[in-house]
Amino acid sequence: MNSPENPLVPERNSRYDERVFSERARLWAACTDAARSQRQVLEDLVRFNAGAAFGKAHGFAGIRTLEDFREAVPPQDYTGTGPASGQWCCPLLPVRKPDDG
C-alpha cells in the first residue's frame, strides 16, 4: 500500500504536510497573541449561544466586549444557571433533570 509504485502516496503526503503546516501556523499565531485568541473564543461562544435560553436571559446578543460579558454574567455556581443548565453549551439538546429518571 505504501510502496513507491502507489501514485497516491506523494499526493497524500503533500496534502498531509499542507494540513499539518497550516495547523501549526494557526496555533503559532494564536500563541503569539493569546489575549486576542481568548477574546475571539469568547466572541464565538457568546455569538453561538445568543439564541439559547441562558444567552437570551443574559443578553448575549448585545455583548461586544469582555467587560460587557462580565456585567451580563455575574460569577455564579452551576446551580445559578437554573433551567438553562445544559443548554449553555448545547442549546439544541433537551435538559434532563435528576428527577427525570
Side-chain angles (χ1 to χ4, degrees):
M1 186 90 187
N2 288 333
S3 67
E5 297 83 35
N6 186 339
L8 298 178
V9 171
E11 181 182 325
R12 186 177 60 209
N13 288 343
S14 176
R15 288 193 320 261
Y16 174 79
D17 287 348
E18 288 174 22
R19 285 194 319 268
V20 169
F21 292 129
S22 172
E23 185 65 14
R24 184 174 69 176
R26 188 187 69 75
L27 289 171
W28 182 255
C31 290
T32 58
D33 191 353
R36 184 180 68 75
S37 297
Q38 289 176 343
R39 280 192 306 273
Q40 184 62 49
V41 168
L42 177 62
E43 290 169 10
D44 290 347
L45 289 170
V46 167
R47 185 175 37 252
F48 180 79
N49 288 289
F54 189 89
K56 288 178 183 177
H58 291 84
F60 279 19
I63 293 176
R64 300 290 178 260
T65 65
L66 175 60
E67 291 73 29
D68 292 345
F69 181 80
R70 288 179 174 158
E71 288 177 18
V73 184
Q76 56 189 314
D77 63 14
Y78 186 73
T79 59
T81 59
S85 297
Q87 292 180 348
W88 165 241
C89 294
C90 305
L92 302 177
L93 297 177
V95 177
R96 288 193 56 172
K97 298 176 192 74
D99 59 342
D100 286 346

